[in-house]
Amino acid sequence: LSSKSSGKWISAIEGSILVASDQQVVTGISILISGFTQLKSGISSYHWQSVVNLAWLSSVTHLVTLTSLRRQARDNSPFRWWRIIAMGIMAGMLIVAIYPVGYLTSGSDIPYSFPAWCLYQPNLNWYNSDSGYQLLSAYNNFYIALVLSILLGTYIQRVFTLFTSKGRSLAIVLHLCV
């Protein structure tokens, strides 16, 4: 291929990645908003965990696309600020959404049919009369610490990558710390 046609291919691929990145940010935020609005309506804890997992997948996909868009993001200030704001919104919402999932990953036989809003009120004694045990008795601290450190570490790494020309070395250092 000539350099002119390879440049067109590179531009087309970068454009496709940019569209996928935008789509994943909007999708992740939308999934979380729809999940949060359903908490008081009685969304089950099983479905809440599915919502959180889908948003997590959307967030990770967005972060992967940013890896290939580093150069473009550094050269385009509005693009960079849009990404930082969208990433911050999604990260904040994910932190709030992921925290109570630690009750569901504790390894105990918790039924997934109880309302997800119970996860946000663990100090109340949610007792299931059918099975005869407390629903929220254990919390998986290791799982939540691991998930949150991966999430926050990767987000911080991508922000440094978007803002610094030496973002690669900072990203490697941050990756090793997390």
Side-chain angles (χ1 to χ4, degrees):
L1 292 171
S2 69
S3 64
K4 187 175 183 178
S5 71
S6 66
K8 288 181 182 180
W9 275 103
I10 290 170
S11 177
I13 291 171
E14 283 181 347
S16 299
I17 293 171
L18 181 63
V19 168
S21 179
D22 291 341
Q23 179 183 10
Q24 292 305 312
V25 169
V26 171
T27 300
I29 292 172
S30 300
I31 288 170
L32 287 167
I33 289 172
S34 65
F36 280 122
T37 60
Q38 294 302 309
L39 278 174
K40 287 291 185 180
S41 299
I43 186 173
S44 71
S45 56
Y46 172 79
H47 291 105
W48 178 251
Q49 190 172 16
S50 296
V51 165
V52 173
N53 288 338
L54 283 171
W56 175 265
L57 177 65
S58 182
S59 175
V60 168
T61 305
H62 167 69
L63 292 171
V64 168
T65 60
L66 285 180
T67 302
S68 61
L69 297 173
R70 282 187 300 235
R71 181 185 50 80
Q72 185 178 0
R74 251 185 251 120
D75 298 340
N76 187 349
S77 186
F79 169 83
R80 179 177 50 205
W81 284 108
W82 151 248
R83 289 286 171 265
I84 299 300
I85 292 168
M87 286 168 58
I89 291 170
M90 190 160 23
M93 292 176 75
L94 265 174
I95 289 168
V96 171
I98 286 173
Y99 179 75
V101 174
Y103 293 107
L104 301 174
T105 60
S106 63
S108 59
D109 295 330
I110 297 175
Y112 287 108
S113 59
F114 68 93
W117 58 269
C118 295
L119 298 170
Y120 286 95
Q121 300 176 0
N123 55 344
L124 297 177
N125 189 11
W126 295 105
Y127 186 78
N128 185 348
S129 60
D130 295 335
S131 59
Y133 60 87
Q134 188 175 350
L135 292 176
L136 304 178
S137 58
Y139 189 79
N140 192 344
N141 290 315
F142 176 74
Y143 173 80
I144 297 302
L146 180 65
V147 168
L148 290 178
S149 66
I150 290 171
L151 175 70
L152 293 175
T154 307
Y155 271 81
I156 291 168
Q157 175 185 358
R158 294 301 184 256
V159 168
F160 277 124
T161 303
L162 289 176
F163 273 105
T164 64
S165 59
K166 297 180 182 177
R168 184 177 183 138
S169 61
L170 286 172
I172 291 170
V173 169
L174 285 172
H175 183 69
L176 292 173
C177 292
V178 174

